[in-house]
Amino acid sequence: MITFVPASHLLDSPRGRDWPPAPNSTPTAPPPAEADVVIVGAGPAGLAVASALWHLGVRDVALLDRGGRPCGRFFDRVDVLGQRVLRSPYEHHPGVEGYRDCELLDFARLHWSRLTPVERREIRMAQAGHRSVVPVDVFEAYCEHVASLHHVDERTWRASVREVRPTADSVTVRGDGFAVTAAYTVLCLGEERRPAPCDWWDGEATPRNVSYWDEPVPGDAQRLVVIGSGLSAAHLITNALNDGKRVHWVLRASEERYQCADVNASFFRAEGRARFDGTSWEDRRILMGGQRRASVMFEFRPLLQRAEADGRLTVHRGRSVTAVAPGRAGRAVVRLTGGEQVIGDHVVLALGTTVSNGEQLLPGGIPSPRDGWPDLDEQTLAYRNAPRVFAVGAAAGMVLGPAARNIDGHRVATARVATAVAAHLEASAGPRRTGDRVVARV
């Protein structure tokens, strides 16, 4: 059997190119006291929801985001990792299904002169229906285009949401110095980094020479220990190797898992999502457990294998961490199962993420989480115990399957949620102008 391994140079694209500036109308005043819809979180999922509502004629929308700009936190995390290309292909992008918006592939072609020869070849691959990688730079410029086109930037406020309080006829979203009451609220909370087990070290505070994947790595650390087996770990390892550092890689699995997407491609299609329709919770849980495993893009394999062969990278396969303790001269000692110890100047934890299911914002009992997943209506993605509150993103995983956390999964969820919200608003307010046409339920 012949295995095709994409070349490592596909991981390298320029960052910070001079794109035509999109009009930026970010509001400086506090959020409004009232709105038709409040969207909590302005990442790719929030951007998709706001854009879809705009097409449906729902323009009185307030996006509340702790970063204050559409997709800002997403790109901040990407840049901390030094990531230059996305794992998602060109057909996966924020926006709205069923409308003649400029899509990501069109946007890239319109800016052909700014692209490298490698990036142009990837576009041709995408046009031919093959897998291709998308430059982060192109994706960010496209997100700014989408935000401007649908006036999302004009409706995004920097705000830290502390509470979402639903009643029978409205939802009030409160935070530091503001409160917005809306007919409906959509939670686009994404995922948060998974914390280290509480028994890895003494006390709650993270040790001085330990950090997480979304934090900067000290430049003076010459021997790095990376714990985790996913794409974030691969970026951290590659960055350190490129800086001339030596790296120890600790992963629980017996071998690395390389694949194009982080979930099987079938789950991006209707037949994959159908595997969740009408099946038991236990069957869904097993599917999610098998599909949400950490993996690395194929493009990393030649780099990492070459570094391991020449001794710059040491991989500790099939090992679990039992403790992280201070060592001599300010170093850290990572203790592994079997009595092995790994010593490094700095330890970086890339332990994956956990789903934000709304428990921290909604009153107790509303999310009704089971195995960490909220209880959502199968058709509308509304919380069963709060039908005016909806979820888009990873929280919808047990309804839509493992692709719910991905950008293309956001589009599927958005179609359901935006259609339901627009229909409810129209029914309660009488005839109202909607956009070009209603997004079809997926």
Side-chain angles (χ1 to χ4, degrees):
M1 183 178 68
I2 298 175
T3 301
F4 171 70
V5 179
S8 299
H9 68 261
L10 295 179
L11 296 170
D12 298 322
S13 279
R15 190 76 174 97
R17 278 175 278 196
D18 184 23
W19 297 92
N24 193 327
S25 305
T26 302
T28 56
E34 296 181 347
D36 280 345
V37 182
V38 169
I39 300 172
V40 181
L47 177 59
V49 173
S51 300
L53 289 173
W54 186 89
H55 276 289
L56 292 170
V58 181
R59 310 290 167 80
D60 185 14
V61 175
L63 286 90
L64 307 179
D65 185 86
R66 60 182 124 170
R69 67 183 179 96
C71 299
R73 187 163 176 251
F74 175 87
F75 289 109
D76 287 345
R77 283 178 156 184
V78 162
D79 286 337
V80 166
L81 287 171
Q83 185 173 345
R84 299 297 186 89
V85 299
L86 295 182
R87 192 170 199 163
S88 300
Y90 270 101
E91 60 265 31
H92 296 178
H93 57 85
V96 188
E97 294 284 4
Y99 295 94
R100 294 189 177 274
D101 284 349
C102 174
E103 297 193 349
L104 179 58
L105 186 58
D106 303 320
F107 182 86
R109 292 173 62 205
L110 285 170
H111 297 90
W112 189 262
S113 63
R114 288 179 165 81
L115 305 181
T116 68
V118 171
E119 292 169 340
R120 294 175 184 177
R121 189 177 64 201
E122 288 297 290
I123 286 178
R124 294 189 184 100
M125 293 283 286
Q127 289 178 295
H130 299 296
R131 175 184 178 269
S132 58
V133 297
V134 180
V136 167
D137 221 44
V138 173
F139 188 73
E140 182 174 30
Y142 177 76
C143 287
E144 291 178 357
H145 163 79
V146 172
S148 176
L149 181 68
H150 301 97
H151 304 275
V152 176
D153 50 350
E154 300 173 14
R155 307 296 299 172
T156 302
W157 282 266
R158 181 187 295 274
S160 295
V161 175
R162 306 299 183 194
E163 180 186 39
V164 176
R165 180 73 61 171
T167 64
D169 55 6
S170 66
V171 184
T172 299
V173 180
R174 294 187 177 89
D176 297 336
F178 73 90
V180 186
T181 298
Y184 298 95
T185 293
V186 184
L187 302 184
C188 301
L189 304 179
E191 301 173 77
E192 299 296 332
R193 67 189 186 197
R194 185 181 299 278
C198 58
D199 59 352
W200 277 13
W201 52 72
D202 295 330
E204 296 182 0
T206 305
R208 180 183 58 82
N209 48 1
V210 177
S211 63
Y212 284 87
W213 59 269
D214 54 352
E215 299 172 324
V217 178
D220 59 351
Q222 294 304 305
R223 185 181 293 268
L224 204 65
V225 181
V226 177
I227 303 172
S229 54
L231 188 58
S232 295
H235 278 293
L236 291 163
I237 293 166
T238 302
N239 294 342
L241 293 172
N242 289 339
D243 289 340
K245 300 177 181 180
R246 292 188 175 273
V247 183
H248 286 265
W249 186 11
V250 180
L251 58 155
R252 288 183 299 175
S254 59
E255 61 181 2
E256 302 89 319
R257 186 184 188 210
Y258 292 99
Q259 61 183 44
C260 295
D262 56 350
V263 298
N264 188 289
S266 67
F267 288 100
F268 292 110
R269 300 188 292 268
E271 62 267 27
R273 293 191 295 273
R275 295 173 65 180
F276 277 66
D277 294 340
T279 59
S280 70
W281 183 272
E282 182 61 21
D283 287 343
R284 297 186 191 195
R285 190 183 65 79
I286 293 172
L287 270 174
M288 290 297 285
Q291 293 298 325
R292 282 175 54 91
R293 293 181 294 162
S295 63
V296 177
M297 290 171 63
F298 275 114
E299 287 81 355
F300 281 94
R301 185 154 70 178
L303 291 169
L304 300 179
Q305 288 180 340
R306 187 165 58 249
E308 185 178 11
D310 63 27
R312 293 178 295 135
L313 171 65
T314 303
V315 185
H316 305 267
R317 299 176 176 87
R319 295 288 187 271
S320 296
V321 176
T322 60
V324 179
R328 295 179 180 177
R331 292 184 172 181
V333 177
V334 179
R335 297 192 175 96
L336 309 179
T337 51
E340 186 178 1
Q341 292 188 351
V342 180
I343 299 175
D345 300 319
H346 195 81
V347 179
V348 187
L349 309 178
L351 308 178
T353 57
T354 59
V355 174
S356 297
N357 58 25
E359 276 190 295
Q360 293 184 337
L361 300 179
L362 290 163
I366 286 181
S368 296
R370 185 177 178 185
D371 298 324
W373 303 96
D375 185 16
L376 303 177
D377 181 270
E378 297 275 328
Q379 296 301 316
T380 66
L381 303 182
Y383 285 79
R384 293 187 191 276
N385 295 328
R388 289 182 176 270
V389 182
F390 299 79
V392 172
M398 288 298 272
V399 176
L400 300 179
R405 69 194 297 256
N406 297 77
I407 292 169
D408 198 58
H410 298 166
R411 292 163 69 91
V412 174
T414 290
R416 299 190 186 190
V417 170
T419 300
V421 168
H424 291 326
L425 286 171
E426 183 175 356
S428 62
R432 61 184 287 140
R433 184 170 63 86
T434 59
D436 307 316
R437 57 191 174 90
V438 174
V439 177
R441 178 172 294 174
V442 179

